[in-house]
């Protein structure tokens, strides 16, 4: 009998201790990873890379670029600071640049050989690896919005031309007359390019398409990469492509893995440069892959790809990127790249020219 009472007492004490430990479990401190996820966020943008030289830039134009870059990045940062998603920050930030004639995207898009503005864009969610892209649209005010609609409202990744525009109308996106995209500066660039019977690459002055009369009139593709407080990465890119382009030419901007890529395991990247080479090099994905499979840091991977791999193929340009820890990279091999960033502490950096 004594043995039975002792056994019962032991069981009662054991389960009492277990219950006590269980009730304490929710009060355990969060892990470092959870703290980092909550505290780390940031945003980085570009407005194109190319022959951007201080000597060719007026004070007023430089001020205009810096003001628009600041407006754009602060728009996205405000969303992130309030706990908003990286996708929302990407979309709204790019909208600011698409609506400005300063950049080769949306309102400031370059003209094709036929005198049209054909717009491309893409966006990618680093959490799900879902993505959306559009190519050759002519009536959608903000192509990045359409790219996101493709990602979220369809089972597909890329729509092009008339089909993409029909989808945009069905989704209730803002449709404009093609004349909305007209700017005198871009039309004059087209006329000069046609006169010389050359194809002007919007970002470049060192290729077979080089036109010395328009070498300093370089405005480019826009892009954004962001990390939100939930630890989710996203990236987006929007462009008008190449001046005097023909035959429905599409560059890297709407190509997932070339112009845009995001993966929560590694980083989010947006590219700007000579699209044909960025497509062949799968530049945005290559940076992520070097991090995931090669153990490289974001800075190391970006430098290898942009300073070695792309030039070895014959191309040039740059990227902006942010990794899952909030580290950022602005790598380019041209004379300059319009760029800006804001980290989790609110530190704003804006730059145009090379070091």
């Amino acid at each position: 009998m004594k043995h039975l009472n002792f056994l019962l007492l032991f069981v009662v004490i054991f389960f009492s201790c277990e219950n006590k430990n269980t009730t304490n479990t929710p009060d355990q401190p969060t892990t470092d990873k959870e703290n980092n996820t909550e505290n780390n966020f940031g945003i980085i943008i570009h407005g194109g890379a190319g022959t951007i030289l201080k000597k060719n830039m007026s004070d007023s134009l430089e001020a205009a670029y810096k003001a628009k870059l600041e407006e754009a990045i602060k728009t996205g940062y405000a969303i992130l600071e309030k706990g908003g998603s990286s996708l929302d920050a990407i979309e709204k930030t790019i909208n600011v640049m698409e609506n400005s004639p300063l950049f080769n995207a949306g309102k400031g898009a370059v003209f094709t050989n036929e005198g049209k503005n054909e717009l491309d864009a893409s966006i990618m969610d680093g959490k799900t690896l879902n993505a959306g892209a559009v190519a050759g649209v002519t009536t959608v005010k903000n192509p990045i919005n359409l790219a996101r609609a493709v990602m979220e409202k369809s089972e597909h990744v890329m729509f092009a031309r008339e089909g993409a525009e029909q989808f945009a109308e069905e989704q209730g996106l803002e449709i404009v007359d093609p004349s909305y995209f007209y700017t005198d500066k871009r039309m004059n660039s087209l006329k000069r390019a046609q006169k010389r019977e050359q194809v002007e690459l919007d970002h470049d002055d060192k290729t077979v398409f080089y036109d010395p009369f328009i070498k300093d009139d370089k405005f480019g593709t826009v892009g954004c990469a962001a990390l939100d407080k939930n630890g989710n990465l996203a990236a987006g890119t929007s462009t008008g492509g190449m001046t005097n382009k023909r035959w429905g030419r599409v560059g890297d901007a709407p190509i997932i893995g070339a112009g845009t890529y995001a993966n929560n395991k590694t980083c989010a990247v947006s590219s700007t440069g000579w699209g044909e080479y960025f497509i062949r090099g799968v530049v945005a994905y290559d940076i992520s892959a070097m991090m995931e499979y090669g153990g490289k840091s974001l800075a190391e991977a970006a430098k290898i790809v942009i300073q070695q791999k792309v030039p070895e193929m014959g191309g040039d340009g740059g990227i902006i990127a942010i990794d899952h820890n909030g580290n950022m990279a602005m790598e380019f091999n041209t004379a300059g790249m319009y760029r800006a960033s804001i980290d989790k502490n609110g530190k704003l950096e804006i730059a145009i020219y090379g070091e």
Side-chain angles (χ1 to χ4, degrees):
M1 190 69 175
K2 291 181 179 180
H3 291 293
L4 179 60
N5 289 337
F6 177 79
L7 180 60
L8 290 174
L9 180 60
F10 175 79
V11 171
V12 170
I13 293 173
F14 176 81
F15 280 102
S16 175
C17 292
E18 282 296 296
N19 289 335
K20 184 176 181 181
N21 289 334
T22 301
T23 57
N24 284 340
T25 300
D27 297 327
Q28 296 297 318
T30 56
T31 64
D32 289 340
K33 181 178 180 181
E34 289 170 335
N35 283 329
N36 288 336
T37 297
E38 181 180 352
N39 295 328
N40 267 332
F41 71 100
I43 185 168
I44 187 167
I45 65 174
H46 70 74
T51 307
I52 308 169
L53 302 172
K54 175 69 174 177
K55 66 180 182 180
N56 298 323
M57 183 82 70
S58 67
D59 291 341
S60 60
L61 185 57
E62 179 178 310
Y65 270 108
K66 288 184 175 179
K68 189 57 64 174
L69 289 169
E70 182 173 356
E71 177 190 350
I73 200 164
K74 284 187 173 180
T75 297
Y77 185 80
I79 293 172
L80 297 174
E81 191 175 30
K82 295 174 183 177
S85 73
S86 52
L87 286 170
D88 287 344
I90 294 294
E91 183 178 14
K92 297 306 181 183
T93 296
I94 290 179
N95 283 164
V96 173
M97 294 187 283
E98 285 179 330
N99 295 340
S100 169
L102 290 174
F103 304 100
N104 177 20
K107 177 64 176 176
V110 300
F111 287 92
T112 69
N113 178 262
E114 297 177 338
K116 298 179 179 180
N117 305 102
E118 295 183 352
L119 314 175
D120 309 327
S122 63
I123 194 168
M124 187 166 183
D125 181 355
K127 179 180 179 181
T128 63
L129 301 187
N130 200 5
V134 295
V137 296
T138 61
T139 62
V140 181
K141 182 180 179 182
N142 295 108
I144 194 67
N145 297 11
L146 179 53
R148 186 172 181 181
V150 172
M151 177 177 71
E152 297 180 340
K153 304 294 179 61
S154 82
E155 65 271 34
H156 307 296
V157 172
M158 179 181 284
F159 291 160
R161 305 177 76 83
E162 293 83 1
E165 292 171 354
Q166 180 181 344
F167 181 74
E169 293 182 11
E170 293 176 0
Q171 295 303 314
L173 299 183
E174 186 170 359
I175 304 299
V176 296
D177 186 89
S179 61
Y180 164 80
F181 302 106
Y182 179 94
T183 60
D184 287 335
K185 178 169 286 189
R186 296 303 193 184
M187 178 53 70
N188 290 335
S189 293
L190 172 64
K191 290 178 179 178
R192 286 193 295 266
Q194 290 180 329
K195 184 176 181 180
R196 296 177 60 81
E197 296 183 349
Q198 293 186 1
V199 176
E200 175 197 358
L201 183 65
D202 185 70
H203 319 284
D204 184 60
D205 77 334
K206 295 181 294 186
T207 74
V208 294
F209 305 125
Y210 168 54
D211 184 340
F213 292 99
I214 48 183
K215 68 176 182 178
D216 296 320
D217 187 19
K218 303 296 181 184
F219 309 98
T221 297
V222 304
C224 180
L227 171 69
D228 64 32
K229 290 185 176 182
N230 292 317
N232 293 321
L233 291 163
T237 311
S238 182
T239 190
M242 178 190 291
T243 296
N244 203 28
K245 63 185 179 183
R246 308 179 191 220
W247 310 296
R249 180 264 185 188
V250 176
D252 64 305
I255 307 299
I256 300 302
T260 301
Y261 192 76
N263 187 331
N264 278 5
K265 293 181 180 179
T266 54
C267 63
V269 183
S270 175
S271 306
T272 172
W274 192 353
E276 280 69 16
Y277 289 94
F278 278 64
I279 293 172
R280 295 175 205 174
V282 200
V283 165
Y285 175 74
D286 195 20
I287 292 171
S288 172
M290 292 183 70
M291 294 175 66
E292 183 174 2
Y293 306 122
K296 300 292 185 182
S297 68
L298 174 60
E300 291 171 335
K303 187 172 184 178
I304 291 171
V305 171
I306 297 302
Q307 303 299 342
Q308 296 180 26
K309 289 189 173 184
V310 172
E312 285 174 0
M313 289 189 293
D316 59 8
I319 61 93
I320 50 94
I322 184 170
D323 71 13
H324 58 286
N325 291 319
N327 300 307
M328 302 186 199
M330 302 175 174
E331 197 71 44
F332 55 98
N333 57 32
T334 54
M337 182 171 73
Y338 300 107
R339 58 202 188 275
S341 66
I342 307 182
D343 64 16
K344 65 180 180 180
N345 299 315
K347 182 181 179 183
L348 169 65
E349 293 186 2
I350 301 175
I352 297 177
Y353 315 108
E355 298 298 334

